[in-house]
């Protein structure tokens, strides 16, 4: 059913917690696992001209650390991982990576929110991916 699974991470605990679900799907379907972390171009563009290079480098290092942490945790469980750290708008890069790599399932973590708090967070990357994805998305509620 699923030959390839994508787990985007921003380095947060909710993304790391979704790893167990991604590994479960990898094991269940004998699928491959890709882990990506997007360097948010909007943050780079918002930086002062003199700081853009340093901001980009810092974000790239954080992204690399985020994917390597999850790749190492997956490797401890016997799962090999392909990693990438594209630059762009996170939800767009996630969808583009999924499309280009013919990913079958996206696994994303999110905080469980309800009521007013949920309405205030409508711009989240996870929600944008869910709304725009043309393939299955597993949202892991990390409350």
């Amino acid at each position: 059913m699923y030959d390839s699974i994508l787990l985007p991470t921003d380095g947060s605990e909710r993304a790391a917690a979704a790893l167990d679900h991604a590994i479960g799907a990898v094991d269940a379907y004998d699928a491959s696992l890709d882990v990506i972390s997007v360097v948010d171009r909007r943050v780079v563009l918002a930086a002062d001209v003199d700081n853009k290079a340093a901001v980009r480098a810092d974000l790239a290092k954080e992204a690399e650390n985020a994917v390597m942490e999850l790749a190492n945790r997956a490797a401890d469980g016997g799962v090999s991982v392909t990693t990438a750290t594209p630059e762009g708008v996170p939800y767009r890069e996630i969808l583009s990576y999924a499309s280009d790599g013919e990913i079958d399932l996206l696994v994303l973590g999110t905080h469980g929110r309800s009521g007013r708090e949920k309405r205030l967070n409508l711009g989240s990357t996870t929600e944008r991916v869910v709304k725009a994805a043309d393939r299955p998305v597993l949202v892991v509620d990390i409350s």
Side-chain angles (χ1 to χ4, degrees):
M1 180 172 231
Y2 304 118
D3 293 323
S4 55
I5 297 167
L6 175 61
L7 174 65
T9 181
D10 58 4
S12 68
E13 282 304 310
R14 70 180 184 270
L19 177 64
D20 292 335
H21 294 274
I23 289 173
V26 165
D27 290 342
Y29 298 106
D30 193 28
S32 64
L33 178 62
D34 289 43
V35 175
I36 68 168
S37 184
V38 179
V39 176
D40 194 335
R41 179 176 293 142
R42 300 168 300 182
V43 176
V44 175
L45 293 174
D48 294 330
V49 173
D50 296 337
N51 295 325
K52 284 189 190 301
V55 168
R56 178 178 277 118
D58 287 346
L59 292 174
K61 182 68 173 168
E62 289 173 12
E64 185 63 29
N65 288 341
V67 296
M68 291 313 300
E69 177 186 339
L70 295 188
N72 290 337
R73 285 178 52 190
D76 290 344
V79 175
S80 64
V81 176
T82 299
T83 63
T85 56
E87 182 177 327
V89 177
Y91 85 95
R92 290 182 185 151
E93 290 302 316
I94 292 165
L95 294 169
S96 177
Y97 188 96
S99 179
D100 293 347
E102 298 182 9
I103 299 294
D104 298 312
L105 175 68
L106 297 130
V107 179
L108 294 96
T110 189
H111 288 293
R113 294 187 172 100
S114 61
R116 183 171 186 245
E117 187 179 41
K118 185 175 183 179
R119 288 191 300 274
L120 292 174
N121 288 292
L122 290 178
S124 75
T125 297
T126 298
E127 182 168 354
R128 289 177 183 211
V129 168
V130 168
K131 285 182 175 181
D134 62 354
R135 62 204 68 229
V137 179
L138 171 62
V139 178
V140 180
D141 186 3
I142 309 300
S143 297

